[in-house]
Amino acid sequence: MNSLTIALSGIVIGAYILYKATKRSPFWNIPGPKSNSFVLGHVCELLQNQVGLTDFEWQENYGDVVRFKGSFGSDYLMISDPKALQRIFQTSGYRWRKTPQRREFSRLVAGKGLAWADGDVHKRQRKIMLPGFSAPEAKHLLPFFSSCAAALCSRWTDMLLASSEQCQVFNVADWISRATLDAIGQAAFDYDFGATNNQDTELSKLYQNLMIKTFGTPSKTALLMLDLSRYIPLSVMEFLDNHNPRFSLIHRVNNLAHVTAKYLVDMKSGLLLEGKNKKDIMSLLVKANKEASQNPKLQLNEEELLAQMRVLLFAGHETSGTSLTFALFELVRNPELQTRLRKEIRNTERKIAERGDVEVTAQDLESMPFLNAVVKETLRFHPVAVHLFRVAVEDDVLPLMKPIVATTGEILQEVVVPKGTRIVGSIPAYNRHEDVFGSDAFTFNPDRWLNPGHVKNSVSLGVYANLATFSAGIRSCIGWRFAVLEMQAFLVELIKNFEFAATPALDGIRREPAFLMTPSIEGELDKGSQMPLKVAFAKRSDDDS
Ligand code: HEM
């Protein structure tokens, strides 16, 4: 490209941006905050503030459909209305697509696997992946989760026994992240990362704090570039991202994950030929892909197959780990809930012993109402995936459960959206919708799940408990059963064995936006994810039923 071409391209893009900025918006009457910056719009408010704070404020002040500004006067809608979200994510198929920028982001962190794919390619990849994630398959993974949780408990037990007071402050965010990396390694790939026992592989070392180091509180320039990238052809974006030094850690992880994935896929293909069927997700994927060989149009090529390992590591590690960390945070802030949960776990333990078993089964986990209420409430209150970006590929009309008041005073029962409309589905704002979760939606209260009628299911959304946490429809989280089972298994082991208490640092905990939400301490972002909790052995006196 010579300098004349670059200058001409700049003039054309600039003129186009100006034209878009001065054109009357189709959403001129949708209420929303005023923007103080033509260049940045509200991008920083939404993506730099602690997770959810801006979303909650806008929802309270303007309603469930909020017009806000992207860079250079462009329009976005933030949506938390249940019916509108249902339409976009659950019933409209591929008519609302992931924005190209978000797909490029997925490519950057996880390659051209399921989270990146779109349309027919996505449909094909998802079809091959689905068998590994069914309900019976997820149940087979329970022993992996229980043993990784037990390994963590055993490390902590040794450390507590070695301390004079048998009580220590642990950064549970770090420990749980290690244990969930081991869990996904074993359950998804039959691979030992050795993270809990500090025998980390090179790959597991690179994964530690990857998201917060690369994306923690993004700068204004990074956010502006991300928003403006919609004017840049995707191939150019790919080139820029591949050569951006800011992403060097991600590139190192990707190279190493690629080599590891290749080794694992070759090994699993060999075992399959020998008729040795393993139950981990990657083995099931390799098997499903071989079975699709009669119809090459259905098969994944090698690049796609290898990319799925990165997708699963990226999508299934920090997500579950951070959710568990926030469950412990809430159980520390509400000690009576922690005691109640321990009591339920020990009662179940007794029943398991009475029938002559030692291992907890998936049915045992399902039979614990309070455990399940704590899991649901944590996923509702602290969703780790925050925003879902979509663009309409054709004109549409969004129905509303709760009408909004237009700037003209008119009551709108639906919102007409032209092709090209960009929306942000707000998971935190929907998850605290008072018309769905009750007038106490801003309180952590697991009992809402136990009191009939407290949670209203008049509009069904999502794959689990009417929450937006795992998204909905054709792009919903494929690993949600995996995540729920993992949370149940870990909570049982941890709460049975240990008592968790607050430390002064908890007052400074932030819900950090690092692409995924992650816990940090005010002013200490450089130290990575943090959740320092006091940990001691749990007393047996909680046994009293
Ligand atoms: C608490 C834990 C988890 C949460 C909150 C969560 C949430 C989500 C959300 C919101 C999406 C949709 C993203 C989008 O459309 O942009 C998603 C997609 C996905 N998740 Fe999860 N996830 C969790 C755990 C897992 C686990 C354990 C796995 C795998 C073992 C997994 C694998 C995936 C994959 C592969 C996708 C892409 C699906 C597609 O595009 O078709 N997730 N997840």
Side-chain angles (χ1 to χ4, degrees):
M1 250 196 246
N2 62 28
S3 44
L4 183 67
T5 322
I6 296 176
L8 278 176
S9 315
I11 291 171
V12 171
I13 292 174
Y16 179 71
I17 292 174
L18 211 65
Y19 160 73
K20 293 285 268 187
T22 46
K23 206 176 140 212
R24 182 171 152 130
S25 158
F27 306 118
W28 62 273
N29 62 344
I30 304 290
K34 288 227 163 3
S35 160
N36 295 325
S37 164
F38 174 70
V39 175
L40 282 164
H42 295 101
V43 171
C44 296
E45 266 158 272
L46 189 68
L47 302 178
Q48 275 185 331
N49 271 351
Q50 272 204 64
V51 164
L53 292 189
T54 303
D55 308 47
F56 301 145
E57 187 192 319
W58 287 355
Q59 186 191 43
E60 187 183 350
N61 291 337
Y62 308 106
D64 294 344
V65 179
V66 179
R67 174 192 175 194
F68 71 95
K69 293 286 173 194
S71 57
F72 293 99
S74 58
D75 272 323
Y76 283 87
L77 296 178
M78 185 190 91
I79 300 193
S80 56
D81 181 273
K83 261 195 184 171
L85 290 175
Q86 185 193 50
R87 164 89 195 150
I88 295 167
F89 292 96
Q90 199 153 298
T91 57
S92 73
Y94 291 101
R95 284 185 298 242
W96 283 86
R97 302 243 172 155
K98 252 189 181 181
T99 58
Q101 298 71 42
R102 290 287 146 170
R103 288 186 57 219
E104 166 49 14
F105 194 84
S106 299
R107 185 203 64 84
L108 175 68
V109 293
K112 293 189 171 177
L114 193 62
W116 163 86
D118 195 19
D120 286 345
V121 176
H122 177 260
K123 202 190 250 174
R124 175 173 54 81
Q125 290 200 8
R126 191 155 168 126
K127 196 167 174 195
I128 292 278
M129 302 261 302
L130 271 174
F133 291 91
S134 65
E137 296 307 340
K139 283 182 187 159
H140 281 130
L141 302 178
L142 179 58
F144 291 121
F145 301 143
S146 298
S147 74
C148 288
L152 177 61
C153 291
S154 148
R155 275 301 309 263
W156 283 359
T157 299
D158 291 347
M159 290 163 79
L160 289 183
L161 287 175
S163 69
S164 53
E165 292 176 5
Q166 304 210 335
C167 171
Q168 277 201 44
V169 173
F170 293 141
N171 177 7
V172 299
D174 178 51
W175 279 107
I176 288 181
S177 167
R178 287 165 176 273
T180 53
L181 183 63
D182 283 344
I184 188 116
Q186 293 188 18
F189 316 111
D190 193 20
Y191 177 79
D192 186 6
F193 279 105
T196 309
N197 289 322
N198 273 12
Q199 286 158 348
D200 311 47
T201 59
E202 189 59 28
L203 191 54
S204 74
K205 277 188 205 144
L206 288 178
Y207 263 106
Q208 279 153 30
N209 282 316
L210 175 65
M211 296 310 284
I212 203 162
K213 276 187 202 157
T214 313
F215 302 113
T217 306
S219 68
K220 279 184 183 171
T221 319
L223 290 175
L224 179 63
M225 288 316 292
L226 180 68
D227 198 49
L228 277 179
S229 62
R230 65 182 182 279
Y231 299 111
I232 301 174
L234 216 54
S235 52
V236 178
M237 272 312 294
E238 281 192 15
F239 176 85
L240 293 176
D241 284 345
N242 287 346
H243 295 87
N244 187 341
R246 195 171 152 239
F247 300 139
S248 58
L249 188 56
I250 294 261
H251 297 319
R252 278 178 64 203
V253 171
N254 284 345
N255 291 340
L256 199 53
H258 184 86
V259 175
T260 313
K262 174 110 183 66
Y263 160 76
L264 289 173
V265 166
D266 290 348
M267 185 180 73
K268 285 167 201 309
S269 305
L271 287 173
L272 194 64
L273 280 178
E274 290 168 26
K276 292 180 187 157
N277 286 340
K278 289 265 193 173
K279 279 288 177 195
D280 64 278
I281 294 175
M282 199 77 180
S283 295
L284 294 172
L285 177 59
V286 169
K287 184 164 176 263
N289 206 36
K290 279 258 167 357
E291 283 165 4
S293 59
Q294 287 90 343
N295 187 351
K297 278 194 192 150
L298 288 182
Q299 252 190 332
L300 304 186
N301 61 36
E302 192 186 38
E303 189 194 355
E304 290 174 325
L305 197 57
L306 300 183
Q308 306 312 341
M309 173 173 178
R310 277 153 62 188
V311 173
L312 295 181
L313 274 176
F314 167 72
H317 160 218
E318 289 295 355
T319 45
S320 312
T322 301
S323 305
L324 269 164
T325 299
F326 273 101
L328 295 179
F329 174 63
E330 290 300 342
L331 293 173
V332 159
R333 291 210 299 191
N334 304 279
E336 70 292 351
L337 300 181
Q338 190 181 150
T339 308
R340 198 169 144 196
L341 180 57
R342 189 168 297 113
K343 224 174 229 181
E344 184 182 73
I345 293 168
R346 289 190 173 159
N347 279 340
T348 310
E349 205 185 12
R350 255 196 303 272
K351 285 183 200 150
I352 295 172
E354 277 162 20
R355 68 169 192 250
D357 281 343
V358 269
E359 304 294 341
V360 65
T361 65
Q363 285 92 314
D364 294 324
L365 296 175
E366 280 312 311
S367 75
M368 288 189 244
F370 194 61
L371 170 71
N372 287 294
V374 169
V375 169
K376 284 179 189 160
E377 189 64 351
T378 305
L379 290 169
R380 181 186 78 83
F381 211 67
H382 296 290
V384 292
V386 184
H387 294 130
L388 298 168
F389 290 78
R390 293 292 187 272
V391 57
V393 293
E394 49 189 75
D395 296 347
D396 202 357
V397 177
L398 298 179
L400 299 178
M401 182 182 98
K402 192 173 173 187
I404 55 168
V405 184
T407 50
T408 52
E410 191 189 350
I411 306 290
L412 302 179
Q413 308 281 352
E414 57 187 28
V415 180
V416 177
V417 288
K419 177 180 170 180
T421 297
R422 284 163 190 268
I423 67 102
V424 176
S426 170
I427 298 179
Y430 165 81
N431 276 2
R432 296 196 191 186
H433 202 297
E434 295 189 354
D435 292 355
V436 181
F437 298 102
S439 54
D440 62 346
F442 277 78
T443 307
F444 185 88
N445 172 21
D447 278 307
R448 83 182 64 253
W449 301 99
L450 303 174
N451 301 333
H454 197 134
V455 177
K456 313 227 167 13
N457 296 326
S458 53
V459 177
S460 88
L461 185 77
V463 285
Y464 178 68
N466 235 20
L467 293 171
T469 308
F470 296 110
S471 186
I474 49 169
R475 294 211 79 123
S476 59
C477 176
I478 202 169
W480 71 270
R481 288 193 183 88
F482 184 117
V484 170
L485 200 66
E486 189 179 9
M487 286 182 73
Q488 292 168 330
F490 267 80
L491 280 176
V492 164
E493 284 297 320
L494 295 177
I495 299 298
K496 180 173 80 181
N497 288 299
F498 304 105
E499 199 163 308
F500 296 85
T503 57
L506 285 204
D507 294 340
I509 288 289
R510 277 175 55 87
R511 299 188 344 147
E512 197 68 40
F515 182 63
L516 292 173
M517 190 258 290
T518 190
S520 73
I521 293 183
E522 189 76 53
E524 296 185 6
L525 192 61
D526 55 319
K527 293 191 181 159
S529 301
Q530 290 197 76
M531 182 67 77
L533 299 182
K534 223 185 261 174
V535 182
F537 292 116
K539 293 184 224 50
R540 294 304 299 184
S541 56
D542 286 345
D543 277 355
D544 309 342
S545 33

